[in-house]
Structure formats: structure tokens, C-alpha cells
Amino acid sequence: MSEIFVTDDQKEYQRRAADKVRAHFAALGKTPLVYAETYGCQQNVSDSEHIKGLLAAMGFGFTEEPEQADVILFNTCAVREHAEDRVFGNLGALTHTKKENPEQIICLCGCMVQQEHVAERLRKSYPFVGLVFGTHVLHRFPELLYNALTEGRVIERPEMDGVIAEDIPVHRDGKFKAWLPIMYGCNNFCTYCIVPYVRGRERSRDPDRVVEEARELVREGYKEITLLGQNVNSYGRGEAHGVDFPELLRRINAIEGDFLIRF
């Protein structure tokens, strides 16, 4: 499948949506807070860092107390049933925070909600969840959050793949280790694995973008850079740029500085 790159016009639309979210809370005279919880793999951790980057750009601070949060975010995992059970259990425990703060927006995203049966269960049994969005629309988070704030419940989980969104801000969780996605999705369709169905088919980021992001991480002092992908060995397969995974490793290794490359 061909990649679908997010256009400059689409990025500008999201920037305007972010401005509206910022103005919404400014009108209330408050600095909004978010409580974020991530389940699953390193790719999910990286996705959460990007979502938190978007939230920070919208003026949000961060809290470890769900009761204090204006937005609660669960980034979910669908690989094991136990992970889904934990999400639903923890989600049920949030009913009291929603009662105490009716304006609070509870968000679910990630692989778990990309499944139709999960989305249907959320529709029927968890009416207090205000925003549900799948893995292919992370870059649209400012728009989706604004709609949830102003129009009510939003469930957005399109059955599409091939999306590559660049230039999403990142709020990294640490200063030593950094996650660096190089590709998304998987083509293998193993019988035991749900990843191709919730993450889509393989698509690789542009190598120049990857190398520049790695260079910036080194400049910022990160000492361990982990390259992420469901199947990193397939990086660049079928792409016109002709850069495969070994060549990408060579290019990142050529960056001046003292750091480790992991994948």
C-alpha cells in the first residue's frame, strides 16, 4: 500500500484546532492538566510521548493524580487479553472522578480501540468515555479533543492504514533513553498476532527524517536511541529511496557523538 503523507494544509488545520483548545481553557481561567497511562509495547510509549507533545503544545501540564486531571488518557494494547482486562478495570475505577468533575474528558486510544468489538463495548457500556480514537488518527488529536470538549462524545477509528505523519511534537519521558520510530505496521499476518489489523501494513519513514531526528536526539544529550518498528528488518522494503535497515543503521552510526543504537 502506498504511504499517505499528512499534507501541510492538514497540519495547519490541526494547529488551528490546538489554538482553539488552548483558548477554551484560557477562557475558563485555568491551566489544564492531563493524566496519561500507557499499556503495551515501546511503540505505544512512543505514541504517548507524541500525544503528550501535542498536549503540551496546547498548554497542558501533567499530573500523577487522575482526580486533578482535565483530560485522562489511556493508550491501550491489544496483544494480550490481560492488557485489555486491565484497561477496562482501570477505566471502571474512573467513574468517581468523572462524577466529581463532569467536565473531565476521558480518552482511550491505541491498538485496543481499533478493534470493532472493543469500540462497540465502549459505546454501550462506558458512556462516560468522551473520546475514543484509533491508531491511524493520532496526528488529528487536537481536532478530536476540541470536538469532544465542545460537541460531546467522539469515536474516531477509521479502517485505514498507510498514514505517515511527521513533525508531531514530542514530550519525552526521560533524558537518557529515547524512542525513535522508523516504520509502522506489519505485513506478516501471523496467526497469533493482531498487529497488522490494528497497526496496518508496513510503511517506512523517510530515511533523511529519521537520521535528522537521531541527530537532534544526540544534540540534546540522549545516550541510548532505540529504533522502533513492528518489524525493523523490513525497513525501506519497496521504497523508492532504496535505503534498507543496514544502510539506515550505518547513516545513524555516522552521526558524531557518543551514543548507543538499539532496535
Side-chain angles (χ1 to χ4, degrees), residues 9 22-24 45 49 76 88 98 106 111 224 231 250:
D9 286 345
R22 192 180 301 106
H24 173 89
V45 174
E49 289 182 342
T76 65
F88 281 120
K98 182 66 173 178
I106 298 174
C111 295
E224 186 173 302
N231 185 14
R250 283 189 283 268

Side-chain angles (χ1 to χ4, degrees), residues 46-252:
S46 177
D47 286 350
S48 290
E49 289 182 342
H50 283 88
I51 296 171
K52 287 188 284 189
L54 289 167
L55 285 160
M58 289 185 274
F60 278 77
F62 300 90
T63 179
E64 296 299 320
E65 303 296 332
E67 297 81 5
Q68 298 177 0
D70 298 279
V71 171
I72 293 179
L73 175 78
F74 284 179
N75 190 359
T76 65
C77 173
V79 172
R80 293 181 177 88
E81 186 176 4
H82 176 64
E84 293 192 13
D85 292 341
R86 282 182 60 209
V87 169
F88 281 120
N90 292 340
L91 191 60
L94 294 179
T95 54
H96 69 281
T97 71
K98 182 66 173 178
K99 288 179 181 177
E100 293 172 3
N101 181 8
E103 301 302 313
Q104 186 180 69
I105 302 293
I106 298 174
C107 309
L108 257 71
C109 65
C111 295
M112 178 175 156
V113 303
Q114 194 64 36
Q115 303 171 98
E116 179 55 39
H117 74 277
V118 171
E120 189 61 27
R121 181 175 176 182
L122 291 169
R123 287 189 189 98
K124 292 180 177 179
S125 303
Y126 295 84
F128 58 90
V129 176
L131 174 55
V132 177
F133 61 101
T135 56
H136 304 306
V137 290
L138 184 154
H139 59 287
R140 291 178 50 207
F141 178 61
E143 166 201 352
L144 300 175
L145 179 59
Y146 180 71
N147 291 344
L149 285 168
T150 59
E151 300 176 10
R153 195 177 203 197
V154 174
I155 297 180
E156 187 79 11
R157 36 170 306 281
E159 298 292 337
M160 61 176 288
D161 57 18
V163 174
I164 295 181
E166 297 286 359
D167 304 319
I168 299 177
V170 184
H171 180 89
R172 298 192 185 275
D173 293 333
K175 297 295 183 183
F176 181 82
K177 298 180 181 181
W179 311 112
L180 176 51
I182 65 171
M183 63 179 298
Y184 308 98
C186 185
N187 289 349
N188 288 338
F189 288 91
C190 301
T191 55
Y192 57 84
C193 184
I194 199 170
V195 166
Y197 301 97
V198 295
R199 286 279 182 181
R201 298 295 186 93
E202 289 175 357
R203 58 233 187 251
S204 300
R205 292 180 65 198
D206 180 85
D208 292 337
R209 290 272 196 169
V210 174
V211 173
E212 181 52 39
E213 187 171 344
R215 186 175 288 112
E216 182 62 28
L217 289 170
V218 174
R219 282 196 293 261
E220 293 175 3
Y222 287 92
K223 298 300 183 183
E224 186 173 302
I225 299 172
T226 302
L227 309 182
L228 297 180
Q230 268 69 42
N231 185 14
V232 293
N233 290 342
S234 296
Y235 175 83
R237 185 175 294 168
E239 300 288 347
H241 55 66
V243 177
D244 60 9
F245 186 53
E247 175 60 22
L248 183 69
L249 287 174
R250 283 189 283 268
R251 293 187 182 191
I252 295 174

